[in-house]
Every structure is written in C-alpha cells, then in structure tokens.
Amino acid sequence: MKIAFYKGTRPGLPGIYNRLVRWWTSSAYSHVELVAATGRAWSSSAEDGGVRSKLIHFDPKKWDLVDLPSHLEQAAVAWFTAHRGEKYDWLGNLQFIVAAVPDSKKRWFCSEAVAAALGIPDPWRYDPGTLASALTLLNKPAPAGFLRPDIGHHADLLH
C-alpha cells in the first residue's frame, strides 16, 4: 500500500485551487490519495463529489509516493468502503483559515479521509502537507537519542 501526494497543478480553476492549498499550507502538496495493492486509489475529491475510489496513473512528475505498511490496508479500504459516497467537505477546508469552523462527521476532504482511514486521531487537523510530514516520518529511523534499551537500536515506529 502507498500514499500518493499531489504536487502537480491542474489547468483552470482546479489549478488555482492547487496553488492556493500549497501556498496557504506552506507545502508542496494539494491533494492526497491512498493507493491499495490492487492499484485502486481512495480519497475524497471535490471534482468527484466526495469519498470515492478510482484508477489513477501516478505520474512521478506530479505525484510523490510513500510506502505504507501493508498491514494497514485492510482496515483503510474497509473505512473507505463504509464511507463511499459521503460528500466532499468544502466547509471543513475553511478550518485551515478560520479555526472556529466545526468538523463534519459526514463530509470529508482528501487528507482528512486518508488520515481517518489510517486510524489517525483527529484526522480533520491534517492538510496534505502535514499528513505527508507525519507519514514520511514513520518511514525514517528515529532521530539520535531515541533508542529502545530493550533491543539496543532505534525503535521501529511502524509496529
């Protein structure tokens, strides 16, 4: 299983939105997809009306792919299957600008849906860039000074 972070810019109005998200969040990314071992991508998309799955060609010029542990896939796909068809959360996107905007329990933006599917607490707190930071950290060894004395080496953050 992988997670795909969109760094490209679409033409027209969607491209303006890509640029605004990247600028506002100080990130290289404006969208995120969870990619199952089958190649099926899962996310919540404004263009597709909300939570959905589809096949996407992940051009490396437009997407960064990060490996995730395979043991997370079954629960993540089950989450997306259970929420398929729920609407895109336009209002939820505003919480990154106006903190008082409440979280919706039936609408999802892309990074929120992916974080929820992975079981991350408070998924509404994650824009694509912060989710990328959190998940890429999991694939790196712990920084110096964080050793597990019981095993004598860096702790594996994924297990």
Side-chain angles (χ1 to χ4, degrees):
M1 182 170 71
K2 296 182 183 299
I3 191 162
F5 295 98
Y6 188 64
K7 60 186 178 183
T9 302
R10 297 179 57 100
L13 190 57
I16 293 169
Y17 184 73
N18 293 146
R19 286 184 189 95
L20 282 172
V21 169
R22 290 193 305 259
W23 173 76
W24 187 261
T25 62
S26 299
S27 168
Y29 307 117
S30 60
H31 182 69
V32 60
E33 297 276 340
L34 189 77
V35 187
T38 62
R40 197 131 196 98
W42 296 86
S43 190
S44 183
S45 164
E47 288 184 18
D48 296 328
V51 178
R52 54 86 178 124
S53 72
K54 68 192 261 184
L55 294 174
I56 298 173
H57 168 69
F58 292 100
D59 179 348
K61 292 178 186 168
K62 297 179 180 181
W63 296 88
D64 286 335
L65 291 140
V66 176
D67 290 316
L68 292 176
S70 60
H71 72 273
L72 298 173
E73 184 169 342
Q74 184 177 2
V77 170
W79 185 96
F80 273 109
T81 301
H83 294 274
R84 187 189 313 230
E86 291 182 359
K87 300 295 181 196
Y88 187 80
D89 191 4
W90 281 107
L91 189 60
N93 272 330
L94 290 177
Q95 74 185 353
F96 296 108
I97 301 168
V98 180
V101 172
D103 176 42
S104 170
K105 300 299 183 206
K106 292 291 182 184
R107 294 179 179 268
W108 306 90
F109 50 89
C110 64
S111 49
E112 176 186 29
V114 171
L118 293 173
I120 296 173
D122 301 328
W124 52 271
R125 295 184 186 272
Y126 291 85
D127 61 65
T130 56
L131 187 60
S133 294
L135 294 177
T136 54
L137 172 67
L138 293 178
N139 284 331
K140 295 180 182 176
F146 291 93
L147 300 177
R148 282 190 44 194
D150 59 322
I151 57 175
H153 59 78
H154 288 99
D156 182 354
L157 299 174
L158 297 174
H159 301 286

